Amino acid sequence: TWTSGRMSNAKSWLGLGMSLYFWGLMDLTTTVLSGNPTPQGKLEALLSDKSQSHQRTKRSWVWNQFFVLEEYTGTDPLYVGKLHSDMDRGDGSIKYILSGEGAGMVFTIDDTTGDIHAIQRLDREERAQYTLRAQALDRRTGRPMEPESEFIIKIQDINDNEPKFLDGPYVATVPEMSPVGTSVIQVTATDADDPTYGNSARVVYSILQGQPYFSVDSKTGVIRTALMNMDREAKEYYEVIIQAKDMGGQLGGLAGTTTVNITLSDVNDNPPRFPQKHYQMSVLESAPISSTVGRVFAKDLDEGINAEMKYTIVDGDGADAFDINTDPNFQVGIITVKKPLSFESKKSYTLKVEGANPHLEMRFLNLGPFQDTTTVHISVEDVDEPPVFEPGFYFVEVPEDVAIGTTIQIISAKDPDMTNNSIRYSIDRSSDPGRFFYVDITTGALMTARPLDREEFSWHNITVLAMEMNNPSQVGSVSVTIKVLDVNDNAPEFSRFYEAFVCENAKVGQLIQTVSAVDQDDPYNGQHFYYSLAPEAANNPNFTIRDNQDNTARILTRRSGFRQQEQSVFYLPILIADSGQPVLSSTGTLTIQVCSCDDEGHVMSCSPEAYMLPVSLSRGALIAILACIFVLLVLVLLILSMRRHRKQPYIIDDEENIHENIVRYDDEGGGEEDTEAFDIAAMWNPREAQAGAAPKTRQDMLPEIESLSRYVPQTCAVNSTVHSYVLAKLYEADMDLWAPPFDSLQTYMFEGDGSVAGSLSSLQSATSDSEQSFDFLTDWGPRFRKLAELYGASEGPAPLW
């Protein structure tokens, strides 16, 4: 049998009561079995009676579990219980030994009395029970008096731990405008106390902060919405404090709290709205395509995907001229240029722009419509634009034999601005380095300035510029491609130099050479050459020609019996004609040498043998021949010497007064030659000078009209073909490398109202404010008669020339 000791700690009364209750049950069992309240020894004696069919073995060493309260804070060791053996007579002969978990460190035993004490603070949350072994030994012999037995010491729980939220603080999200009772999050508090013993671990939840927006389930800890129509745009963040209290929430229970940060997530419950119903914008007419004009913005109180916007142009007269795109970062509508603008064509546009949410929620459609419109007025601002060519590209075909000054194309450009400024045309000289063309500065007439040669340049790609007179920085350009058409202006000729040979033993009709020709022209139907002997050799007795009809010809012998001694070389003129219109031809000479050949026709020698004089000349004849040669040489040298030293002297009459010869120098150059440029006799009597011999002309220049007549017909001046006259004269001046500087032609291309120098013409001087009278010109003689007719007073209209 075993008994437990008393408990000295006031906190151990609960455990003591349970122990007494347990031992009371044991005593009650003993009493029932014996029929009377006898001591334990008497009960065992009764049970051992022979009259009983079953006997119960005596157990004097029986162990059970001990109970001890946790968190003892006293200064003395905590009494746990007492071990006792029936063999212990109280004389100290029995020695009690304790082993197992915590023996000696947590629990100690009095080896004489068997009292067990706890020497350390016990915490059930750290360890709920200890398993130990007890043994009773004979103190003198050390012999076990009882078999070793195991017992358990259980730590009884007290409410010493408050509930804790191990996962707190919490973060939760719930959509705005959620219905009442929508679950937000579940919080859980844990209590380290024993849930199987009392109410120490029974937790009840309550909300300390966050009302009336949220509520919490007292048993489960589920937080739910408690207020309807919670608007994120009004308040987005909420801080809710939840309390968990043990002991079922009764007074005296321990409590713990946690924070739950709840955010209202956005839903599309706000339709977009334009803050402005009218936008005013402006754009330059020169703005390139895709350039930004302006921005519009439809304000949406939502965020994220619910605030996404799509802008479209739904109406207005500018739908084809402008476009609108959505900036995904800022959700603004960017209006851009869709096609080129023109201030002169249209000065303003009106757009009706719509902004709409592409993502809608059906339950909030009653708050809509989720779209809005605004009006955008766009003004086009004028800029000074360069001239524009119409069309934007020119292709011209010109025959290569076109005359200088011929107009081949009219280039047209106009100022797109409202002012419509005057246009001046020119050629970009980098595109026409050879200066083959000229464009009229005012009319845009493109003319030839030099002869064209297709064989030299078959294509010309020039750039014509158009400049505004009032703003020279505004320059437009256009490409002009000129194809030079071929005309038959090149005669065919041998493709190479031909030199043939004929054997002395050649037969009649023997082929001695095949010739071919080339022509720089390129006719449309291809080249076709015709070969024949030149007229002066049409009846040549030695050779003939046969046309092969494939642009080649064969040269054949017409006889045999050629001899080097008679004639070693033959020159055969061949006429080559083409098939062009007009037909052109040339004569090529074929050199044919007479050679000595072997029987197989192989050339052995083409050098003629030396001829011996049949009769010897006398010494007198040779001297006469040499004398004649000497005289001829002397005469030649004399003639050459006279030509070299011959000089035309200026003949001056001794009686002539040299001071009356007026010499006027209007320009540089000339020197002494200017003294012959003017004849004083012409000033004495102009009429006699005109009637007499032809006047002297300057030796360093040619008559101007004579040189010009080769290029310009005499009717050009009458027909007012001024450009042809000027271009021909310019070409002549450019080609004349020996002309003195004062023979250069000055051309004023910027004469007129738009020129910086002003007008050089006096044709409109009659309209000026200044009063001029040229009647005195009639008194200056016949030389000024033409000027008098032009500028003097006359009743009829004044002629132009």
Side-chain angles (χ1 to χ4, degrees):
T1 61
W2 59 271
T3 59
S4 60
R6 297 173 299 173
M7 294 184 180
S8 59
N9 197 320
K11 296 179 62 178
S12 302
W13 283 110
L14 179 60
L16 179 59
M18 294 181 65
S19 298
L20 293 176
Y21 177 74
F22 176 79
W23 290 116
L25 291 178
M26 291 291 294
D27 293 340
L28 179 60
T29 303
T30 302
T31 303
V32 172
L33 290 175
S34 61
N36 52 28
T38 61
Q40 185 176 358
K42 293 181 178 182
L43 180 60
E44 291 179 356
L46 291 174
L47 293 175
S48 62
D49 193 348
K50 296 180 179 180
S51 60
Q52 299 295 330
S53 59
H54 299 284
Q55 294 183 358
R56 181 177 179 184
T57 304
K58 178 182 177 181
R59 299 181 61 188
S60 61
W61 187 255
V62 179
W63 301 105
N64 210 325
Q65 59 185 359
F66 292 92
F67 295 89
V68 60
L69 291 176
E70 64 173 335
E71 301 294 344
Y72 171 68
T73 59
T75 58
D76 298 330
L78 175 65
Y79 180 77
V80 177
K82 184 179 182 65
L83 298 179
H84 180 72
S85 174
D86 291 343
M87 293 184 179
D88 188 359
R89 304 297 182 218
D91 55 359
S93 61
I94 301 299
K95 182 181 180 180
Y96 296 97
I97 297 176
L98 186 65
S99 63
E101 297 176 348
M105 298 179 62
V106 180
F107 300 101
T108 59
I109 187 171
D110 190 332
D111 59 354
T112 302
T113 63
D115 292 333
I116 300 174
H117 291 83
I119 60 176
Q120 289 188 6
R121 184 180 65 86
L122 301 177
D123 189 356
R124 190 202 66 83
E125 285 72 36
E126 292 181 2
R127 192 179 186 112
Q129 66 181 16
Y130 295 86
T131 303
L132 297 100
R133 292 181 299 278
Q135 193 173 17
L137 303 176
D138 190 311
R139 187 178 295 274
R140 290 175 299 176
T141 62
R143 182 175 60 85
M145 302 299 294
E146 297 283 354
E148 187 179 43
S149 181
E150 185 179 86
F151 66 96
I152 297 174
I153 299 178
K154 287 189 174 183
I155 311 301
Q156 290 185 333
D157 181 58
I158 65 173
N159 190 19
D160 61 341
N161 291 278
E162 71 277 4
K164 294 183 179 180
F165 294 91
L166 302 181
D167 297 331
Y170 295 86
V171 176
T173 302
V174 63
E176 63 173 329
M177 309 298 290
S178 296
V180 175
T182 301
S183 176
V184 179
I185 192 173
Q186 183 179 13
V187 296
T188 301
T190 59
D191 196 321
D193 294 325
D194 189 0
T196 63
Y197 179 74
N199 294 327
S200 298
R202 190 165 72 88
V203 178
V204 175
Y205 299 95
S206 62
I207 184 168
L208 300 181
Q209 178 180 315
Q211 298 169 326
Y213 306 103
F214 299 96
S215 63
V216 63
D217 189 288
S218 61
K219 295 181 179 180
T220 62
V222 176
I223 300 175
R224 303 177 185 275
T225 58
L227 188 66
M228 63 183 304
N229 298 331
M230 285 193 294
D231 192 0
R232 182 197 67 84
E233 288 74 29
K235 186 176 181 180
E236 184 175 3
Y237 302 102
Y238 295 87
E239 186 179 72
V240 179
I241 298 178
I242 302 297
Q243 182 190 69
K245 191 173 183 180
D246 58 12
M247 299 299 292
Q250 296 178 5
L251 186 64
L254 302 179
T257 61
T258 187
T259 301
V260 182
N261 295 311
I262 301 176
T263 302
L264 296 184
S265 61
D266 185 65
V267 297
N268 194 7
D269 60 339
N270 292 278
R273 292 293 179 263
F274 283 102
Q276 297 178 231
K277 288 302 180 181
H278 297 277
Y279 287 86
Q280 185 67 41
M281 302 178 184
S282 62
V283 61
L284 296 176
E285 64 173 333
S286 60
I289 295 177
S290 300
S291 60
T292 300
V293 179
R295 292 172 171 81
V296 296
F297 175 63
K299 187 176 181 180
D300 193 329
L301 298 178
D302 298 320
E303 64 179 10
I305 191 174
N306 299 312
E308 287 186 5
M309 202 70 57
K310 182 179 181 181
Y311 296 91
T312 54
I313 299 175
V314 296
D315 198 2
D317 57 358
D320 58 340
F322 299 94
D323 200 358
I324 188 168
N325 300 296
T326 303
D327 186 343
N329 297 323
F330 302 99
Q331 300 300 323
V332 297
I334 303 175
I335 300 176
T336 57
V337 178
K338 187 177 181 180
K339 71 174 186 179
L341 305 175
S342 175
F343 172 81
E344 292 72 26
S345 300
K346 190 172 180 61
K347 297 180 178 60
S348 64
Y349 295 88
T350 300
L351 305 177
K352 187 177 182 181
V353 177
E354 178 186 80
N357 290 139
H359 306 285
L360 302 178
E361 294 193 25
M362 302 302 296
R363 62 194 181 104
F364 297 118
L365 290 181
N366 59 329
L367 303 177
F370 285 80
Q371 62 186 23
D372 196 15
T373 59
T374 187
T375 302
V376 181
H377 299 282
I378 301 176
S379 300
V380 180
E381 297 183 357
D382 187 28
V383 296
D384 194 2
E385 299 174 281
V388 178
F389 286 89
E390 295 180 356
F393 175 79
Y394 288 90
F395 176 76
V396 184
E397 293 182 338
V398 182
E400 62 178 324
D401 61 346
V402 65
I404 296 176
T406 302
T407 299
I408 61 175
Q409 180 69 45
I410 300 296
I411 308 298
S412 176
K414 68 175 183 178
D415 183 9
D417 299 319
M418 294 289 291
T419 55
N420 195 15
N421 294 322
S422 299
I423 304 298
R424 293 294 180 264
Y425 300 92
S426 62
I427 295 178
D428 185 358
R429 284 307 172 190
S430 62
S431 65
D432 184 26
R435 298 180 180 268
F436 287 95
F437 302 96
Y438 162 78
V439 63
D440 186 87
I441 190 172
T442 57
T443 64
L446 182 63
M447 295 172 282
T448 56
R450 291 183 57 186
L452 302 179
D453 188 0
R454 188 205 66 84
E455 289 69 36
E456 182 181 4
F457 299 104
S458 59
W459 291 87
H460 295 271
N461 293 301
I462 66 173
T463 301
V464 177
L465 306 177
M467 179 187 68
E468 291 185 13
M469 286 299 299
N470 294 341
N471 189 359
S473 63
Q474 296 296 330
V475 179
S477 62
V478 68
S479 296
V480 181
T481 299
I482 302 172
K483 180 181 181 181
V484 181
L485 302 178
D486 183 59
V487 296
N488 194 25
D489 58 346
N490 291 278
E493 57 186 14
F494 280 141
S495 59
R496 61 183 179 85
F497 174 75
Y498 287 100
E499 186 174 12
F501 69 91
V502 61
C503 295
E504 291 180 319
N505 56 0
K507 299 179 181 180
V508 178
Q510 183 174 340
L511 174 66
I512 62 173
Q513 184 66 52
T514 300
V515 295
S516 62
V518 293
D519 193 334
Q520 295 184 4
D521 295 321
D522 187 16
Y524 179 76
N525 295 323
Q527 297 283 6
H528 186 74
F529 303 128
Y530 302 94
Y531 299 89
S532 62
L533 294 178
E536 61 271 20
N539 298 321
N540 190 296
N542 302 312
F543 304 96
T544 185
I545 188 171
R546 298 286 177 84
D547 195 336
N548 294 328
Q549 301 299 320
D550 60 355
N551 291 340
T552 63
R554 295 173 295 165
I555 309 301
L556 306 175
T557 59
R558 297 186 68 176
R559 68 179 180 86
S560 61
F562 294 93
R563 296 291 182 268
Q564 288 185 357
Q565 294 82 359
E566 296 178 359
Q567 187 173 351
S568 61
V569 178
F570 292 92
Y571 298 98
L572 184 63
I574 299 176
L575 182 66
I576 310 171
D578 59 18
S579 58
Q581 294 295 330
V583 177
L584 297 181
S585 62
S586 66
T587 300
T589 301
L590 176 64
T591 302
I592 305 173
Q593 292 185 356
V594 180
C595 303
S596 59
C597 306
D598 56 14
D599 295 337
E600 296 180 357
H602 298 124
V603 176
M604 298 176 59
S605 175
C606 293
S607 300
E609 299 178 357
Y611 292 98
M612 299 297 296
L613 293 175
V615 180
S616 298
L617 295 176
S618 61
R619 181 177 297 177
L622 290 175
I623 293 173
I625 292 173
L626 292 175
C628 292
I629 294 174
F630 179 77
V631 171
L632 289 175
L633 289 175
V634 170
L635 290 175
V636 170
L637 291 175
L638 182 60
I639 293 172
L640 292 176
S641 177
M642 292 178 65
R643 286 187 176 184
R644 182 176 298 176
H645 294 85
R646 184 176 59 183
K647 182 177 181 182
Q648 292 281 348
Y650 294 107
I651 302 174
I652 301 176
D653 191 357
D654 293 337
E655 297 179 357
E656 182 181 3
N657 187 357
I658 190 65
H659 299 286
E660 294 180 356
N661 189 8
I662 299 176
V663 179
R664 180 177 178 180
Y665 295 92
D666 288 333
D667 45 27
E668 293 182 24
E672 297 85 1
E673 295 177 353
D674 285 343
T675 59
E676 295 182 346
F678 302 96
D679 188 0
I680 194 64
M683 298 186 67
W684 289 338
N685 194 350
R687 294 183 179 180
E688 293 181 0
Q690 293 178 358
K696 286 186 178 182
T697 60
R698 292 183 60 163
Q699 298 178 1
D700 60 348
M701 62 181 293
L702 298 176
E704 183 174 326
I705 190 64
E706 181 180 353
S707 64
L708 181 62
S709 62
R710 292 177 295 173
Y711 302 99
V712 182
Q714 294 301 317
T715 58
C716 288
V718 179
N719 296 331
S720 300
T721 314
V722 179
H723 289 295
S724 300
Y725 175 86
V726 171
L727 292 175
K729 182 60 181 174
L730 179 61
Y731 174 72
E732 179 195 358
D734 291 339
M735 300 303 295
D736 187 1
L737 301 179
W738 304 101
F742 46 81
D743 281 345
S744 62
L745 180 66
Q746 303 298 326
T747 305
Y748 296 90
M749 305 305 294
F750 290 92
E751 177 199 354
D753 295 337
S755 173
V756 178
S759 177
L760 301 179
S761 173
S762 60
L763 296 178
Q764 298 179 358
S765 60
T767 60
S768 62
D769 297 336
S770 61
E771 296 181 1
Q772 299 182 10
S773 176
F774 298 94
D775 295 338
F776 59 89
L777 294 175
T778 57
D779 301 330
W780 284 17
R783 283 181 172 250
F784 299 93
R785 183 179 303 165
K786 192 66 175 179
L787 290 175
E789 293 176 357
L790 289 172
Y791 299 101
S794 62
E795 298 179 358
L800 294 177
W801 299 95

